[in-house]
Amino acid sequence: MSSSTIPINEKKLKAEEGKLKKIIAAIKKALSKELLWGLCIAIVSIPMALVVSYVIYTYASQEVLEVFQIIAGDEPTFVTIYIICVIGIYISRIIATAIKTQLESLKKD
């Protein structure tokens, strides 16, 4: 190998290293964003689950309570409602993000 090819190879390696650093930074950013969304959803779901729990136990008929007891099983009903709220909010966020992405792509066209 000649001495002139070594600097060219080093430049290629540095360019690839730069691309790899950009990819890692993008992954870190996306992961931290999802973790923050998860924390926000977990916090927002607590009062929602409390309100739904109160409404169910205050205003629901006996049949609804029995059905909910079947759904909840051995778990406390608050935990079950909380999990349902978390899943519902997260799915809603995913759908809203998908719609926003589609609308942005339509504006570009």
Side-chain angles (χ1 to χ4, degrees):
M1 233 197 293
S2 69
S3 62
S4 64
T5 60
I6 293 174
I8 293 172
N9 288 338
E10 287 178 5
K11 287 181 183 178
K12 287 182 181 178
L13 284 174
K14 289 195 186 257
E16 291 296 320
E17 181 183 7
K19 290 179 186 177
L20 184 62
K21 284 183 180 181
K22 286 181 182 178
I23 291 171
I24 290 173
I27 291 172
K28 283 182 181 179
K29 183 178 177 181
L31 185 61
S32 66
K33 186 177 177 180
E34 284 301 314
L35 287 173
L36 286 175
W37 268 109
L39 178 65
C40 180
I41 289 170
I43 291 171
V44 168
S45 293
I46 293 171
M48 286 180 64
L50 287 171
V51 169
V52 170
S53 225
Y54 173 77
V55 168
I56 286 176
Y57 280 111
T58 304
Y59 300 109
S61 65
Q62 188 61 31
E63 292 83 21
V64 172
L65 291 173
E66 288 174 6
V67 169
F68 198 81
Q69 190 64 32
I70 292 169
I71 293 171
D74 295 335
E75 292 293 321
T77 54
F78 173 76
V79 174
T80 305
I81 294 172
Y82 178 75
I83 291 170
I84 292 170
C85 287
V86 167
I87 292 170
I89 293 172
Y90 195 76
I91 289 173
S92 300
R93 186 189 78 80
I94 290 172
I95 291 171
T97 304
I99 291 170
K100 180 182 173 185
T101 303
Q102 291 297 319
L103 291 176
E104 288 175 356
S105 67
L106 288 176
K107 288 180 183 178
K108 290 179 182 178
D109 292 342

